[in-house]
Amino acid sequence: MTEHVNLSQFKSKRTDHNSRVGINSVEIRMGPYECGFCNEYETTVIFEAYESLLHDLIWDLAPPPDVKKIRVDELIGTTQIILKAKYNGQEFLTLEWPVSVNSPALNLTRKIRMDQCSVKAQEIDWEDEKDVEMENSQS
C-alpha cells in the first residue's frame, strides 16, 4: 500500500529558516509483508536543493513498533510516523503523520493520515567553519 503527500505548501525557501532545501513530496509505502501492522515503511522523498550542498542529507525514519513490547489493551489507537531530515549532523526538518491502528476481525492494520502532516523546521548552520575556510582558500 502506498500513501503519498504533496508538500509543496511546506516548501522551504532560503528566506524561511535559512534553508537550502525544499521538500516537494514524500511517499510512504508499507513493506511487502502480509501483516499490515508489522510491515516496515519504505519512503521516497523528492526535494530541491537551492544551492550546492557539501554534505549529504540524512533521512531518519523510525521503524514500526514492536508488537511484542506493547500491551494488548494499548495496541489500538493512534501513533505517529516521524521522518527527520539532517544536514551535517544537524536536524533541520521534522515531518510527522498520525497513524490510526485498527483491529478489524483481530487483524491489526495501520492507516497513515498523510493529509494531516505536521512540519517543524529548525534553523541550522548550513556552512560549518571548515567548509567556509575551504571555499575561501579556493578563491
Side-chain angles (χ1 to χ4, degrees):
M1 168 167 40
T2 300
E3 301 284 347
H4 180 82
V5 64
N6 181 337
L7 292 176
S8 59
Q9 70 268 31
F10 302 114
K11 196 170 185 178
S12 302
K13 293 185 173 52
R14 182 150 163 72
T15 56
D16 296 336
H17 305 290
N18 197 27
S19 184
R20 293 186 179 182
V21 176
I23 309 301
N24 294 330
S25 67
V26 177
E27 183 178 278
I28 299 177
R29 296 174 303 284
M30 301 285 192
Y33 308 109
E34 299 211 5
C35 171
F37 188 77
C38 305
N39 293 349
E40 294 277 335
Y41 298 115
E42 298 172 1
T43 60
T44 301
V45 179
I46 298 174
F47 66 92
E48 179 178 355
Y50 302 123
E51 296 181 30
S52 295
L53 301 175
L54 298 175
H55 304 282
D56 291 336
L57 294 178
I58 304 296
W59 302 94
D60 288 333
L61 181 70
D66 183 349
V67 180
K68 297 173 188 162
K69 295 181 180 178
I70 302 172
R71 293 188 351 218
V72 174
D73 60 329
E74 294 180 353
L75 283 174
I76 308 303
T78 303
T79 185
Q80 285 187 328
I81 293 176
I82 301 173
L83 177 65
K84 295 181 178 188
K86 297 178 183 176
Y87 177 77
N88 198 19
Q90 305 168 85
E91 185 177 314
F92 69 93
L93 188 67
T94 302
L95 304 171
E96 300 176 356
W97 294 272
V99 178
S100 299
V101 180
N102 299 309
S103 177
L106 300 176
N107 182 18
L108 291 175
T109 60
R110 294 179 294 187
K111 171 67 177 157
I112 305 167
R113 304 291 179 198
M114 295 299 282
D115 60 332
Q116 296 177 19
C117 181
S118 169
V119 178
K120 297 175 187 167
Q122 300 175 38
E123 288 188 32
I124 66 167
D125 182 9
W126 289 93
E127 296 182 29
D128 60 27
E129 290 179 19
K130 293 176 189 172
D131 296 338
V132 173
E133 288 173 13
M134 192 167 51
E135 286 176 10
N136 288 339
S137 67
Q138 293 175 355
S139 301

